[in-house]
Amino acid sequence: MVLVVAAMAVASLGCGGSSTKELVLATTTSTLDSGLLDVLRPVFEKDFNVNVKTLAVGTGEALKMGERGDADVLLVHSRDAEDEFVEQGFGLERVQVMFNDFIIVGPAADHAGIKGERSASEAFKKMAAAGALFVSRADDSGTHKKEQKLWKEAGVDPNGQPWYVETGQGMAETLNIASQKEACTLSDRATFLTVKKALKLVTLVEGDKALGNQYGVIIVNPGRHPDLKLNVEAAGDFVQFLTSVDGQKLIGSYELEGVVLFHPNAAGETRGMGNAKEKG
């Protein structure tokens, strides 16, 4: 995969006397709630002399921020929506960074009898048939988009059903509500493992290929927002950092109780690329 990102200034970064730049990062709640950003951000800020302002929202909202020019770079996880964002000219390029997976969690009582089910869509079908309480983020996040796709594959429209609860909140908050209501929900594995000690939920369904969760990083196209002076240089630095050998090692070394939360899979490094042409 050819990694085409934004303008990479050739001036050495982080040198004495240079002023600190600010980078606005719009990212998913999972990268924040899991603690991954607490590992990555300080290293990036020090190495590149950049102050990162993080906006942790759902993927859908992060993409909208990019469309409005409210962020310099996006770290999100909904491939179809990301590709559309770039195709419409709002982003310069989507770069693959890391992956983990989604899991279906719920009470140990397993009211829908889905524990061990190999097919996520079949599990969704069984939950609907049993009328088992299901809590949805309903926030246009990457997780919500995946959930909607699974309902469609199951041939079920959950909207308006008495067993379908919409929170409009992030992953950690939605997990807490599911725990309180003894309901099932779809979660990224990283967030669930981070907060599970406070929950009365267990993993019921995992391992289906359909539950894959790929993350990508996108530099917002400054050509669409010439009046906003987006920090395309620092955004390019961030992509370089995430996809570099050191950045990928940092991602892959982040564990919780011996479990790797995110698996690095960038296609390469973004070094020595010079200035990429901005799209108008």
Side-chain angles (χ1 to χ4, degrees):
M1 177 181 177
V2 179
L3 302 180
V4 181
V5 295
M8 298 292 298
V10 294
S12 57
L13 301 169
C15 295
S18 61
S19 59
T20 302
K21 301 177 290 292
E22 181 173 272
L23 174 71
V24 180
L25 165 66
T27 186
T28 69
T29 59
S30 60
T31 61
L32 182 67
D33 292 342
S34 66
L36 178 66
L37 284 183
D38 293 332
V39 173
L40 298 176
R41 187 167 49 200
V43 179
F44 172 70
E45 288 181 332
K46 180 181 178 181
D47 289 354
F48 288 87
N49 193 31
V50 175
N51 178 49
V52 179
K53 178 181 178 181
T54 303
L55 305 173
V57 293
T59 287
E61 182 57 33
L63 292 169
K64 289 176 184 175
M65 287 180 174
E67 290 180 10
R68 297 192 301 264
D70 292 338
D72 301 305
V73 65
L74 316 177
L75 179 57
V76 289
H77 64 138
S78 182
R79 182 60 189 268
D80 290 346
E82 294 164 38
D83 287 343
E84 183 179 357
F85 180 84
V86 173
E87 288 169 5
Q88 291 179 347
F90 293 112
L92 291 180
E93 187 76 9
R94 176 198 177 274
V95 178
Q96 181 171 290
V97 176
M98 60 191 182
F99 72 94
N100 59 12
D101 64 343
F102 291 105
I103 52 179
I104 301 173
V105 300
D110 186 18
H111 307 301
I114 61 172
K115 186 171 178 59
E117 173 63 59
R118 292 188 175 187
S119 167
S121 61
E122 282 300 313
F124 271 54
K125 206 178 283 186
K126 288 181 178 179
M127 286 188 287
L133 205 58
F134 185 94
V135 177
S136 169
R137 286 182 59 170
D139 62 349
D140 198 31
S141 61
T143 305
H144 183 220
K145 291 177 185 293
K146 174 66 73 170
E147 178 213 316
Q148 290 179 307
K149 186 174 183 180
L150 291 171
W151 284 124
K152 186 175 181 180
E153 290 174 358
V156 175
D157 180 3
N159 296 301
Q161 296 295 332
W163 46 264
Y164 191 66
V165 179
E166 297 178 303
T167 70
Q169 299 190 54
M171 195 70 256
E173 293 87 350
T174 298
L175 282 165
N176 281 324
I177 293 170
S179 181
Q180 292 165 12
K181 292 181 175 292
E182 296 187 6
C184 293
T185 191
L186 181 71
S187 174
D188 68 282
R189 188 183 295 272
T191 303
F192 177 68
L193 291 178
T194 303
V195 302
K196 73 172 186 175
K197 287 183 178 180
L199 306 174
K200 295 179 181 178
L201 299 173
V202 298
T203 301
L204 296 175
V205 178
E206 61 184 333
D208 185 353
K209 195 181 246 186
L211 294 174
N213 185 25
Q214 178 68 54
Y215 288 77
V217 61
I218 307 172
I219 296 171
V220 175
N221 180 14
R224 296 295 292 264
H225 309 282
D227 55 325
L228 296 180
K229 297 181 180 178
L230 297 180
N231 196 341
V232 68
E233 179 185 323
D237 293 339
F238 187 65
V239 175
Q240 175 181 334
F241 169 72
L242 290 181
T243 59
S244 69
V245 171
D246 290 342
Q248 291 280 283
K249 283 182 179 178
L250 270 177
I251 292 170
S253 65
Y254 183 56
E255 299 181 355
L256 182 64
E257 298 180 359
V259 178
V260 175
L261 298 189
F262 298 89
H263 303 273
N265 68 340
E269 297 180 72
T270 59
R271 298 188 183 281
M273 296 202 304
N275 293 328
K277 184 178 180 181
E278 296 176 5
K279 300 177 184 178

